Amino acid sequence: MRIGARGRSVAILVGLLLVAITPLVALPAVRCEVFGIGCPEPVKAAHADPARTRERQPISPIEAATGGAYVALGDSYSSGLGAEATAADHNPLARCQRTSKAYYHQVAKAYPFKATAFWACSGATTRTVQTGKSGEPSQLTRIDANTTLITISVGGNDVGFSKILAGCVVKLPWSKSCSEQGGDVAQRMAELRTTLPDLYRKIAEKAPKARLIVMGYPRAFSETDGAGGDNISVADQQWLNARHRELNELIRQTVAEADQRVAATGGAGSVEFVDAYSAFAGHEVGSPDPYMNGLAVSVSQLAAEPRSFHPTVRGHEALARLFTDQIRKGPGRPLNQFY
């Protein structure tokens, strides 16, 4: 069959149309581009959920501390013995000797805690913090799951520092000299090495979200110049400073180990150390502006009065600054608490 010129022209035209139309039909991308037909739904860009993102952010040290209640526990260095400023502070019936100028009051005002409570008791040991003292129940009953900050000083009475000082400053013919007490001190230090970790663990069980801030003890005497009077030789003062340093190092080590355990097990709280050993540098006993009370002797009892070698009002102001700074700084690791 012959196809004329006109037929060939038609055939060519049809072929060209097929070449032009086929991609539009067969290829969705081309069809979408030319006619806007069959285009896939646009894929929305994935955005992080702000709430979910925030949940993954650890809370700040201050937020962790102020999320609940602040409770002050411990011994006379926390109760404020020696920092008396009012008639009530001298009340002989107040056997725990909590005073109006103890560091607790300044710490409680420094941050917006949900609640605050003051239960430190003069003479407390690692045992009586747990069992109660001076007619009061266990200090551990004062904390719970809503407690988010605890400050404490404890260990000095376990080692027997009040008796050690008595042996140094009230040198009666039948008393031991200062340095001869070293053996007894070492034995009590060894016992404290086991009782402190147990106390930290029990506190964490009662208040699992709490930041527990443990204070070391400030030295009473200058490292370079001996204090005049007080019936303590410069050599005795240096010996006493060395025992304070040993106690602080023991507390520091037990705190570090306790915090490592909390972090390793994913605990929400922390255990932190405040180094107060040099907190009174330049203001030791015998200085023009002491932050530590000197020796006061009860003549009737031939013994040092309890307030001897305890922080003054100015001393507690210095201790409060250490605590407020530590609250802001935190434990030096991320807390296992999140938004």
Side-chain angles (χ1 to χ4, degrees):
M1 180 177 63
R2 291 179 175 272
I3 300 177
R6 185 175 181 179
R8 284 196 298 270
S9 298
V10 172
I12 291 171
L13 180 59
V14 171
L16 290 173
L17 288 173
L18 289 174
V19 170
I21 293 172
T22 298
L24 297 178
V25 176
L27 301 176
V30 177
R31 185 170 68 249
C32 171
E33 180 70 21
V34 176
F35 297 107
I37 299 173
C39 297
E41 288 293 324
V43 178
K44 295 181 179 180
H47 295 286
D49 184 341
R52 292 181 180 274
T53 301
R54 188 171 174 81
E55 287 175 359
R56 291 194 292 270
Q57 299 299 318
I59 65 176
S60 72
I62 291 177
E63 289 167 321
T66 59
Y70 160 44
V71 183
L73 308 179
D75 57 22
S76 56
Y77 274 70
S78 291
S79 74
L81 173 64
E84 297 82 10
T86 68
D89 291 342
H90 293 276
N91 181 1
L93 300 179
R95 289 177 291 180
C96 280
Q97 297 169 304
R98 291 187 280 266
T99 68
S100 61
K101 297 298 182 180
Y103 69 73
Y104 155 79
H105 300 285
Q106 294 182 60
V107 175
K109 294 175 182 177
Y111 295 102
F113 301 104
K114 298 292 189 296
T116 63
F118 186 23
W119 295 111
C121 189
S122 179
T125 64
T126 53
R127 181 181 65 82
T128 59
V129 164
Q130 302 173 60
T131 61
K133 186 184 182 299
S134 300
E136 293 195 353
S138 163
Q139 293 185 33
L140 298 191
T141 64
R142 311 297 193 175
I143 60 175
D144 57 27
N146 296 315
T147 306
T148 51
L149 178 70
I150 300 168
T151 59
I152 191 170
S153 60
V154 68
N157 292 316
D158 294 71
V159 175
F161 267 126
S162 60
K163 296 178 181 178
I164 294 168
L165 280 166
C168 291
V169 303
V170 187
K171 295 180 178 176
L172 301 176
W174 56 85
S175 69
K176 293 181 179 180
S177 68
C178 227
S179 58
E180 286 180 359
Q181 301 175 88
D184 292 339
V185 173
Q187 180 179 345
R188 290 192 287 267
M189 289 269 198
E191 294 169 357
L192 186 62
R193 191 68 177 79
T194 62
T195 57
L196 271 178
D198 184 60
L199 176 61
Y200 301 154
R201 179 181 57 78
K202 290 178 179 176
I203 290 174
E205 289 174 353
K206 293 281 292 184
K209 293 190 297 183
R211 289 179 58 193
L212 171 62
I213 303 181
V214 184
M215 184 184 80
Y217 291 88
R219 67 171 189 262
F221 306 103
S222 170
E223 293 279 63
T224 56
D225 301 315
D230 280 353
N231 200 34
I232 308 178
S233 68
V234 173
D236 285 345
Q237 292 173 26
Q238 293 171 341
W239 185 85
L240 286 165
N241 279 348
R243 304 293 76 74
H244 270 86
R245 191 183 306 112
E246 289 175 359
L247 175 59
N248 279 2
E249 187 57 31
L250 185 155
I251 295 172
R252 183 200 304 273
Q253 291 175 0
T254 57
V255 164
E257 292 165 2
D259 190 59
Q260 288 171 3
R261 287 192 293 272
V262 171
T265 57
S270 63
V271 188
E272 306 167 35
F273 178 69
V274 166
D275 188 355
Y277 179 75
S278 299
F280 299 168
H283 300 277
E284 299 92 345
V285 170
S287 68
D289 181 22
Y291 288 4
M292 183 82 79
N293 290 292
L295 173 65
V297 177
S298 170
V299 177
S300 61
Q301 298 180 6
L302 291 177
E305 292 185 357
R307 69 192 309 271
S308 299
F309 305 107
H310 279 77
T312 64
V313 171
R314 294 287 299 279
H316 274 272
E317 291 172 355
L319 297 178
R321 288 192 292 271
L322 290 180
F323 278 110
T324 54
D325 287 347
Q326 184 62 36
I327 292 169
R328 174 181 51 81
K329 290 188 296 186
R333 63 169 177 82
L335 292 160
N336 293 321
Q337 297 184 45
F338 303 92
Y339 288 109

